[in-house]
Amino acid sequence: MNTLTLIRPDDWHLHLRDGAMLRAVLPETTRHFGRAIIMPNLVPPVATGAQAAEYRDRIMAAKPLNSKFQPLMTLYLTEETDVRDLRAGAEIGLISAVKLYPAGATTNSASGVADFTKVKRVLENMAQIGLPLCVHGEVTDPQVDIFDREAVFIDRVLDPIRRDVPGLRVVMEHITTRDAADYVREADDNLAATITTHHLVINRNHILVGGIKPHYYCLPVAKREEHRRALVAAATSGDASFFLGTDSAPHLDSAKLQPCGCAGCFTATNTLSILAEVFEAEGALDRLEGFTSRHGPGFYRLPLNSDTVTLTKGEPVAYPTAIDTPDGPVTVFDPGMPLHWRVTE
Ligand code: DOR
Ligand code: ZN
């Protein structure tokens, strides 16, 4: 098989930032993706309907001409989130999901939730109207080892929330462990998970062996190989609970290559080529479309995209090593393997 036509993919977890960075990275996503769930962790965060509407306008203004790309906006859940504002945003189709960052879990998460009892009423309203909650699933307890923070989050936070607010629809985002894949697989239809491109490719050795590799540092941090294998198994299984959320998270190289560098892998540019390579290696190319294009709209109760993309297999594709912005380069994720599939239409 040398060509592969897929319903146009969507990205169910994407960081676009703002200003010059937004303008520089947006074409990398709009080239291939129909829609994306846009993360609200700007500074200050996108926390109200009005802020989401303004951010959506800035994204639409930065979009390449002729692109039909649709940003799906999210609100950043804080202990002050206003139920009426949220419901109004959901009703007019402005808000597609709400994002929960435990306070301090990752980049720009200082306004996140510290006391979960304070958001219970918001979560109950979301359950009523079927609005999904996207969760960054890591505890922030300094006593918990960084490699255990996702598994501990399931027991201490996610499972209690789901019991406490029956019917709440949850996306556990960018899962990195066998524990999370098992938990999602065994749960009911109200729980799904996104998996990133980079977590299908790297394990923690890639970050640390032979010198530290800041461009492989992201949150949740990549785990042991057995966990990566569990993610590949989940993504290629055909189970509709698992779908693509790249978590493509651009940072200037000057911010990553620091004694305290920030977290994020920028994968918008080469994601589809990488995924085709990963799925082909598993003998699962026939399941790629489910992962990239069908399962996500299924969970979000949206129509499938009406057009397609075609990938063609040939000589290895040369992607740029970095995207230029006026403030400096953003390094493109290096999958460390030749990529033979390119998007041709
Ligand atoms: O690696 C990450 N980068 N993980 C996150 O959760 C946030 C993201 C970012 O915004 O840079
Ligand atoms: Zn993210």
Side-chain angles (χ1 to χ4, degrees), residues 47-51 75 81-90 94-95:
T48 65
Q51 287 169 329
L75 278 197
T81 297
D82 181 68
V83 169
R84 272 179 310 177
D85 182 56
L86 174 63
R87 286 189 79 123
L94 168 66
I95 304 300

Side-chain angles (χ1 to χ4, degrees), residues 13 15 17 39 41 99 101 105-108 136 138 174 198 217-220 247 249-251 256 262-265:
H13 181 130
H15 297 269
R17 318 299 190 202
M39 286 298 120
N41 62 332
K99 174 73 189 228
Y101 286 106
T106 185
T107 311
N108 304 336
H136 182 108
E138 288 190 288
H174 43 50
H198 49 284
Y217 173 62
C218 65
L219 287 171
D247 198 11
H251 290 280
K256 284 200 66 82
C262 38
C265 296

Side-chain angles (χ1 to χ4, degrees), residues 208-258:
L208 296 170
V209 173
I212 192 159
K213 314 289 190 321
H215 292 300
Y216 289 153
Y217 173 62
C218 65
L219 287 171
V221 69
K223 310 295 192 295
R224 289 174 180 275
E225 176 63 6
E226 65 174 280
H227 293 289
R228 187 191 71 85
R229 288 298 320 163
L231 301 179
V232 171
T236 60
S237 67
D239 183 333
S241 312
F242 300 102
F243 43 88
L244 175 64
T246 65
D247 198 11
S248 182
H251 290 280
L252 295 174
D253 285 0
S254 57
K256 284 200 66 82
L257 306 178
Q258 288 291 334

